[in-house]
Amino acid sequence: MHNSKLLKLLAVLLAFVMIAAACGDDDDEGSTDAETETPDEGGSDGEGDDDTVELTQSGGTLAKVQDAGTLQCGGNDTLPGFGIVDADGAFSGFDIDFCAVVAAAVLGDSTAVEVTPLVAAQRFPTLQSGEIDILIRNTTWTASRDGAEQANFLHTTFYDGQGFMVAADSGIASLDDVADASICVLTGTTTLLNLNAVLGDLGIPFTAVEFESNDELNPAFQAGQCEVWTSDASQLASFAANMDIETSILPEIISKEPLGPVVADGDTEWAQVVNWAVMATVQAWEWGIDSTNVDDFLTSEDSNILRFLGEPIEDDDGNSVVAEVGLGLDPKFAYNIISQVGNYQEIFEKNLGPIGLALEGSPNDLWTNGGLQYVPPFR
Amino acid sequence: MSNSGLSAGDAQLMNAVAEAEAESARHGQDLTPGQWAKKNLFDGVLNSIFTLVFGSIALVTIWFGARWFIDSDWEIVRANLRLFMVGQFPRDDLFRLWVSGYIVVFMGGFVAGAMAHNAQDLADMQGVEYERATWGSLLRRFWTIIAIIIFFVSFARTALPYIGVAGGMVLAVGSRELGWRAPAAVRARSVYIGAALFIISMMVLAGTSRLGGFALGAVALAWVASETGKRDLPGGGAGMVQRWAPAILVAVVVFVVTVLLPYDGYGWEDWGGLHITLFTTVFGIGMGMPIGILLALGRRSDLPVLKTASVIFIEFIRGVPLISLLLFSNLMLPLFLPGDRPADLTLAVIVITGFSAAYIAEIVRGGLQAVPKGQTEAAQASGMSAGAVQRLIVLPQALRAVIPAMVGQFISLFKDTSLLSIIGILEFLRVSDVANAQPDFVGKGLAPVTYVFVALGYAAFAYTLSKESRRLETRLGVGVR
């Protein structure tokens, strides 16, 4: 008797669930393409493939952003130099400026950005859900993230890596001088594993002094409890900015942490747009175009620069035409980026200069100066 | 900041309360400080040792605490005071916050004053004594809130916050007086006036959305319904005009505010800091209470579907950590909701409301079980309907019995709102992290300073809540009988 009651109850509940599911399906069909991209089931590969086939046909994120008039950008609000909130409540930082770069390219207005601050665990699910159009939040490009997280990593904006900081008067100038030194490091991190592996391979003896958090490590380092502090170079620089002692960062970087913009898998059109918008800042730097002199270049003799800035150039028949690269963007998108935000060097020095990161001689320097910033030609 | 309308009392118990207070006043008087110290602190060897040991520990703690307080660099708080108070609320439109805050203060003062007067009238009618609140007693009740507001404002760099807060305190006092002196007909309807004022304050902040108009309309409807209900009561037969005028007034206000004065505001996705912490708490309690009571009744119901649904909801929510519920709200809840993805905070508030409802339901159920079955049977025997039995006989007794547990849950919810930080919402506690990442302050080890600032804020509000609950317990005689 009791059981049959329970069964009836279950049947009623099941009916409700099925009706709810049916309603849910209807809603999905009525929504935009951008929303159907949402990989509801993160599970089997077979289904994921089906989704992709359906999605690449129309892409949709570009149109969605242009319809909405604002770019939804996932960022950080607690990382010095890369993404912070100032006392007036405004976002600023290196990563935030690259959101502005994409907005300038796609919408012609670098201020049409809405930044959603994300904690680390949230970032990929939020990107997959379509709530944000682009994720620029000091996210390291790795194979598993590219694959399993259904994320699409684009042009690296910042080559970070594990570095070493010493007091300026320590007499340590390179990794070789570190021999027999004591090194401050956070316990239980990949930083510690890297340190042991790399210095072990090089045969450099050292003593690791382990700390639970940077709040404890920082005063210890300044008090001279250890000669060297190892962490990500960007983090070392941000701490160095407010130290009572003069410091320097050794040139050696012992790990690869490429950070850059990420978009969701399955929308090639949007990925290309973001990629070329970001790369335009590097190209402008290479040509010496910045926000102060970009208007002078509008009358340049160089047809490559004119094409880059969306100015008319003479084609083979002698007609004056504006080159269309077929990205679905305003031909003047690079001009908008440079005039409204600036080139890569300007963005770097505005945001990362104050926390003590040098561009010159770092991996982030231009390829012509021996760095890694190299972009394909804009033609 | 404002009186919470807790003044309406069970007048019959006031005699007992007044006696108890007089009793306590008789003790502990007529002693010089020296005698008092001898009697209380150095009464025997053991007591003297305790006094010396704990006294020196307390002194050392206070000494180092004060030293730390004075030596610390509070510039990070001064620079970021607005961020702590209102988060990223657009700085050009801060007047909206001030205006809506003033309306809320006025509402609180007015309703508290009106209800206190109502309570006195009731006490007079029943021939019991009623102790009217004096400025001194109000100051004793709310000194923590006043102190923390002054502490916050002391970090301001401009005169405006000082003037604004002073104005708010004058308004609180004045509106309470106004509520006290309002005509009886207005005082009887002060709850509706308060609700309408609260919604209007929200509309000043968030714009005149359709939602605000609907809410105001609902208040007006409830008002009309209660007027209609009063018609048949003895003494409720006020004149036609008196009965309908207030409702018509509200309808006019709804019309004016929603139709004639449309303007945009800032929804809660733009709010932050202490503002969002307080708002989420008030919303979680205000929505969680009625839902929780319904869930508790549902769990005791004889209808199997209702009962099972209530049990599943309560046990599921109570069995899952709030952090995972918040992550669920952020990552999965949007998949179940139709239309565009709501703001993160909307999703979080849905979960927080459900969370507090589930806990309140269990607390209320405990209270319901404490009400003797004879009460229900007697009410049924006297011909009351099932609804009336619950509403008039069982719930008032059940709720009164669980005030301490309920307020404990409110305080817990208030602190739990800091978990909103794990889904990236810039609430009061998280501002601390954000401020410590700014270029001027990063790596200076200022986290203790900001954490202490935030902790004092939480402690002041939680302590006031707990003090008010004890006052309410005394007034309602919980634990006396």
Side-chain angles (χ1 to χ4, degrees):
Chain A
M1 192 62 195
H2 192 173
N3 274 346
S4 77
K5 247 186 188 174
L6 202 65
L7 278 178
K8 272 180 199 162
L9 182 67
L10 279 178
V12 171
L13 283 176
L14 196 65
F16 273 121
V17 170
M18 285 169 76
I19 292 167
C23 292
D25 284 348
D26 289 346
D27 285 343
D28 274 354
E29 279 161 27
S31 63
T32 62
D33 291 347
E35 278 177 325
T36 40
E37 277 172 42
T38 318
D40 295 33
E41 305 104 337
S44 76
D45 287 341
E47 284 187 29
D49 286 346
D50 287 348
D51 279 353
T52 323
V53 170
E54 189 187 299
L55 298 168
T56 34
Q57 289 165 357
S58 59
T61 311
L62 179 61
K64 186 191 118 188
V65 172
Q66 284 172 338
D67 282 349
T70 49
L71 176 75
Q72 298 293 336
C73 185
N76 201 335
D77 57 359
T78 51
L79 188 67
F82 289 87
I84 59 146
V85 173
D86 64 21
D88 286 326
F91 285 98
S92 66
F94 184 79
D95 285 348
I96 307 293
D97 271 357
F98 276 102
C99 293
V101 161
V102 175
V106 174
L107 302 165
D109 178 4
S110 66
T111 61
V113 182
E114 225 170 87
V115 181
T116 306
L118 299 171
V119 296
Q122 259 183 314
R123 52 191 169 179
F124 290 114
T126 311
L127 183 68
Q128 288 156 14
S129 77
E131 186 195 351
I132 53 171
D133 305 313
I134 176 172
L135 170 72
I136 316 186
R137 187 199 174 280
N138 52 290
T139 305
T140 305
W141 184 355
T142 66
S144 62
R145 284 175 174 173
D146 223 335
E149 302 282 4
Q150 295 161 356
N152 191 356
F153 283 78
L154 303 170
H155 183 83
T156 299
T157 51
F158 187 86
Y159 291 95
D160 206 350
Q162 186 175 344
F164 298 88
M165 181 160 69
V166 295
D169 55 5
S170 67
I172 298 174
S174 78
L175 208 50
D176 294 333
D177 303 335
V178 169
D180 294 327
S182 55
I183 301 179
C184 281
V185 61
L186 288 187
T187 186
T189 57
T190 49
T191 315
L192 178 59
L193 298 177
N194 266 337
L195 180 72
N196 286 327
V198 172
L199 292 202
D201 285 352
L202 291 173
I204 301 174
F206 68 97
T207 318
V209 185
E210 297 181 25
F211 290 88
E212 283 290 340
S213 80
N214 282 327
D215 290 336
E216 299 161 31
L217 196 158
N218 187 9
F221 173 73
Q222 293 192 56
Q225 283 187 31
C226 51
E227 289 135 303
V228 186
W229 178 357
T230 182
S231 181
D232 281 352
S234 60
Q235 195 171 46
L236 290 176
S238 72
F239 276 102
N242 280 324
M243 272 191 188
D244 299 330
I245 56 171
E246 288 290 308
T247 59
S248 62
I249 293 177
L250 304 184
E252 286 91 349
I253 299 288
I254 61 166
S255 74
K256 293 188 287 186
E257 305 282 345
L259 314 177
V262 192
V263 297
D265 267 349
D267 189 345
T268 317
E269 177 194 46
W270 176 242
Q272 286 168 345
V273 162
V274 172
N275 217 13
W276 283 97
V278 170
M279 292 193 295
T281 62
V282 178
Q283 183 62 62
W285 178 25
E286 193 177 330
W287 276 325
I289 309 172
D290 62 33
S291 59
T292 57
N293 66 13
V294 62
D295 286 316
D296 302 341
F297 281 91
L298 294 178
T299 53
S300 167
E301 304 281 305
D302 188 337
S303 65
N304 283 324
I305 292 180
L306 290 179
R307 188 187 290 118
F308 176 68
L309 294 175
E311 289 300 307
I313 47 171
E314 279 190 13
D315 66 2
D316 295 341
D317 305 328
N319 299 323
S320 188
V321 292
V322 174
E324 174 57 63
V325 287
L327 286 170
L329 291 176
D330 182 345
K332 293 188 79 67
F333 77 92
Y335 174 82
N336 291 336
I337 292 171
I338 309 307
S339 61
Q340 293 177 20
V341 189
N343 70 24
Y344 183 90
Q345 189 183 23
E346 286 180 287
I347 295 171
F348 191 102
E349 281 170 358
K350 178 182 133 203
N351 295 299
L352 303 181
I355 65 161
L357 282 171
L359 181 54
E360 208 170 309
S362 78
N364 296 297
D365 210 343
L366 264 184
W367 62 288
T368 49
N369 302 335
L372 292 173
Q373 285 297 351
Y374 174 99
V375 297
F378 271 73
R379 62 169 182 262
Chain B
M1 193 181 294
S2 64
N3 297 343
S4 46
L6 302 175
S7 311
D10 190 343
Q12 286 176 335
L13 286 151
M14 278 176 201
N15 267 341
V17 175
E19 265 169 37
E21 281 171 0
E23 178 108 346
S24 71
R26 279 195 290 279
H27 288 290
Q29 282 194 348
D30 314 325
L31 285 176
T32 67
Q35 285 171 319
W36 183 86
K38 184 154 178 18
K39 187 179 170 214
N40 291 292
L41 298 178
F42 299 100
D43 177 25
V45 177
L46 196 62
N47 200 355
S48 303
I49 292 173
F50 274 133
T51 302
L52 288 177
V53 169
F54 287 104
S56 36
I57 291 176
L59 280 180
V60 168
T61 312
I62 290 172
W63 168 251
F64 282 105
R67 277 271 304 276
W68 177 86
F69 219 87
I70 292 163
D71 291 347
S72 294
D73 181 6
W74 291 87
E75 180 59 24
I76 185 170
V77 177
R78 278 191 282 276
N80 287 294
L81 186 64
R82 278 181 176 172
L83 211 55
F84 275 107
M85 293 299 118
V86 301
Q88 291 173 280
F89 197 89
R91 297 298 187 254
D92 293 340
D93 274 335
L94 281 178
F95 75 92
R96 283 178 192 278
L97 271 172
W98 283 105
V99 173
S100 87
Y102 278 154
I103 295 176
V104 169
V105 168
F106 179 84
M107 174 206 82
F110 184 84
V111 173
M115 289 184 122
H117 200 161
N118 290 349
Q120 179 165 49
D121 285 354
L122 187 66
D124 288 347
M125 209 164 75
Q126 296 176 337
V128 292
E129 222 169 288
Y130 176 80
E131 194 191 351
R132 193 189 164 179
T134 60
W135 297 130
S137 74
L138 286 177
L139 198 66
R140 270 199 302 283
R141 272 168 65 190
F142 294 110
W143 71 268
T144 34
I145 292 288
I146 296 170
I148 201 69
I149 290 173
I150 291 172
F151 176 68
F152 286 160
V153 168
S154 70
F155 289 99
R157 288 166 153 164
T158 56
L160 185 72
Y162 289 96
I163 299 168
V165 164
M169 288 185 180
V170 171
L171 185 67
V173 170
S175 58
R176 191 176 186 282
E177 201 58 34
L178 191 71
W180 182 276
R181 291 184 184 187
V186 174
R187 280 191 275 116
R189 295 158 180 89
S190 60
V191 170
Y192 298 105
I193 297 173
L197 281 173
F198 182 74
I199 293 162
I200 290 171
S201 84
M202 286 298 122
M203 287 160 88
V204 169
L205 205 55
T208 48
S209 66
R210 262 187 316 178
L211 202 62
F214 280 135
L216 273 181
V219 171
L221 264 181
W223 190 327
V224 171
S226 86
E227 297 298 318
T228 324
K230 274 181 199 155
R231 193 175 45 198
D232 301 327
L233 288 176
M240 209 51 181
V241 178
Q242 271 169 302
R243 203 184 307 140
W244 297 105
I248 292 169
L249 192 73
V250 171
V252 170
V253 171
V254 173
F255 183 73
V256 169
V257 176
T258 52
V259 180
L260 296 184
L261 301 171
Y263 55 71
D264 288 335
Y266 298 96
W268 57 26
E269 60 272 20
D270 291 322
W271 305 355
L274 181 62
H275 180 222
I276 203 75
T277 294
L278 291 178
F279 180 83
T280 316
T281 309
V282 170
F283 200 91
I285 293 171
M287 296 291 288
M289 256 306 253
I291 299 175
I293 291 172
L294 289 179
L295 279 172
L297 293 174
R299 191 169 187 167
R300 281 165 57 93
S301 153
D302 295 331
L303 307 172
V305 172
L306 195 62
K307 185 180 171 127
T308 316
S310 302
V311 170
I312 290 176
F313 181 86
I314 292 170
E315 293 306 331
F316 175 74
I317 299 274
R318 272 162 45 96
V320 177
L322 182 55
I323 289 186
S324 58
L325 286 176
L326 285 170
L327 288 174
F328 164 83
S329 84
N330 199 258
L331 304 174
M332 287 179 67
L333 195 53
L335 305 177
F336 300 117
L337 296 176
D340 288 342
R341 187 194 158 93
D344 279 356
L345 191 65
T346 312
L347 298 167
V349 160
I350 292 174
V351 161
I352 282 188
T353 303
F355 180 81
S356 73
Y359 277 84
I360 288 172
E362 282 303 273
I363 293 171
V364 172
R365 191 170 67 95
L368 290 174
Q369 279 170 347
V371 178
K373 208 168 161 49
Q375 295 281 325
T376 315
E377 287 164 356
Q380 283 167 343
S382 64
M384 293 174 95
S385 69
V389 171
Q390 292 295 337
R391 195 161 44 84
L392 299 174
I393 305 296
V394 177
L395 271 180
Q397 298 184 63
L399 292 182
R400 199 180 63 181
V402 296
I403 290 171
M406 194 84 98
V407 174
Q409 176 57 30
F410 293 168
I411 291 174
S412 164
L413 181 71
F414 174 55
K415 294 179 295 175
D416 283 347
T417 57
S418 58
L419 289 175
L420 289 174
S421 59
I422 62 137
I423 51 168
I425 289 169
L426 190 59
E427 47 69 58
F428 195 39
L429 180 64
R430 194 173 136 83
V431 177
S432 180
D433 293 346
V434 167
N436 277 294
Q438 290 169 351
D440 291 346
F441 306 113
V442 65
K444 281 188 174 174
L446 292 174
V449 173
T450 50
Y451 282 142
V452 164
F453 178 80
V454 169
L456 287 175
Y458 277 109
F461 283 101
Y463 179 60
T464 309
L465 249 177
S466 134
K467 239 173 19 157
E468 281 299 294
S469 99
R470 265 178 285 135
R471 183 174 155 273
L472 193 68
E473 283 165 35
T474 322
R475 292 201 82 158
L476 298 184
V478 179
V480 171
R481 327 193 267 185

